[in-house]
Amino acid sequence: NAGVTQTPKFQVLKTGQSMTLQCAQDMNHNSMYWYRQDPGMGLRLIYYSASEGTTDKGEVPNGYNVSRLNKREFSLRLESAAPSQTSVYFCASIEGQQETQYFGPGTRLLVL
Amino acid sequence: GQSLEQPSEVTAVEGAIVQINCTYQTSGFYGLSWYQQHDGGAPTFLSYNALDGLEETGRFSSFLSRSDSYGYLLLQELQMKDSASYFCAVRDIGNYQLIWGAGTKLIIKP
């Protein structure tokens, strides 16, 4: 039982490049989330998926797209990276009415 | 809008007790959660209050008062390993979004 996994752990991009951050959970959770966390700041919700086949915008969706590939996997795509997207990205999952969110280890992204 | 307010930083001494407050403005939520995050790590779940009152889990306790729009996390017998950032969060009743406070950095001195 690996919990929530994320790949890659680190990534350096040049402005304008694209990339996809992968997230998978093996806990059979319905809901999955993508957050970004800037240094010394709290978590800001980018997108979330309440269940397989649905996605919704969070607080800061601009510049990102998501895909809920199946119940296990939820990917985040940066189509044209900008320096303002330099951040740590966390994926999380939660099961139904339970209030515990389980987080992946994070992806540290630097956009030059 | 919905928001949660926490102090940005709290300092305490090893072995002491510290309280981290969270005040909120939100139209409706299921309950108040607390998470711990060490530098460079991911947030981990600490405690959840669905109802008003005190919840105790070992050295950590959490309290919620919906009438006062207020909650707190109480850490007892502080240890150096408790040095971390602590976040409060609520889940909006209308959807599955979690709304987060900006976090409180807890500094523990020997």
Side-chain angles (χ1 to χ4, degrees):
Chain A
N1 189 340
V4 181
T5 57
Q6 292 182 237
T7 55
K9 286 186 170 54
F10 303 96
Q11 184 71 48
V12 179
L13 292 178
K14 295 181 180 178
T15 297
Q17 287 185 317
S18 63
M19 78 163 294
T20 299
L21 283 66
Q22 306 287 353
C23 174
Q25 52 92 9
D26 62 1
M27 295 173 284
N28 203 36
H29 289 167
N30 286 324
S31 302
M32 298 184 74
Y33 301 77
W34 275 107
Y35 294 96
R36 62 175 288 173
Q37 186 176 36
D38 300 325
M41 305 290 286
L43 293 161
R44 291 189 292 171
L45 183 64
I46 305 171
Y47 271 93
Y48 66 103
S49 171
S51 61
E52 186 179 355
T54 68
T55 60
D56 287 285
K57 295 178 180 179
E59 179 187 358
V60 288
N62 291 345
Y64 305 95
N65 285 301
V66 290
S67 295
R68 183 74 184 268
L69 305 170
N70 47 55
K71 192 171 186 179
R72 290 187 66 249
E73 299 172 288
F74 188 36
S75 63
L76 178 72
R77 182 160 179 83
L78 287 70
E79 291 291 350
S80 179
S84 61
Q85 294 178 305
T86 292
S87 190
V88 180
Y89 291 84
F90 289 104
C91 176
S93 69
I94 187 171
E95 173 56 31
Q97 295 303 310
Q98 294 179 14
E99 296 301 320
T100 304
Q101 281 209 336
Y102 297 87
F103 284 82
T107 294
R108 283 151 182 80
L109 176 65
L110 173 63
V111 182
L112 301 175
Chain B
Q2 298 170 320
S3 65
L4 291 88
E5 300 291 329
Q6 303 178 235
S8 59
E9 189 175 290
V10 171
T11 301
V13 177
E14 190 177 14
I17 299 172
V18 71
Q19 179 174 312
I20 298 173
N21 297 325
C22 175
T23 57
Y24 58 84
Q25 292 181 343
T26 178
S27 54
F29 64 97
Y30 288 105
L32 181 67
S33 300
W34 288 92
Y35 287 78
Q36 179 191 59
Q37 185 180 30
H38 286 100
D39 284 346
T44 55
F45 175 79
L46 283 179
S47 185
Y48 172 66
N49 291 75
L51 304 173
D52 283 7
L54 192 68
E55 292 285 339
E56 297 179 82
T57 308
R59 294 188 297 115
F60 294 178
S61 303
S62 58
F63 173 82
L64 174 64
S65 169
R66 289 177 185 266
S67 59
D68 295 322
S69 298
Y70 165 71
Y72 66 72
L73 178 70
L74 191 74
L75 295 82
Q76 303 181 70
E77 301 172 14
L78 285 172
Q79 302 175 9
M80 296 305 293
K81 68 178 182 179
D82 297 329
S83 295
S85 291
Y86 293 84
F87 295 87
C88 58
V90 297
R91 190 155 69 88
D92 186 276
I93 254 181
N95 54 47
Y96 282 89
Q97 288 199 39
L98 265 189
I99 303 159
W100 295 78
T104 299
K105 185 176 180 65
L106 175 60
I107 298 170
I108 300 174
K109 298 185 175 180

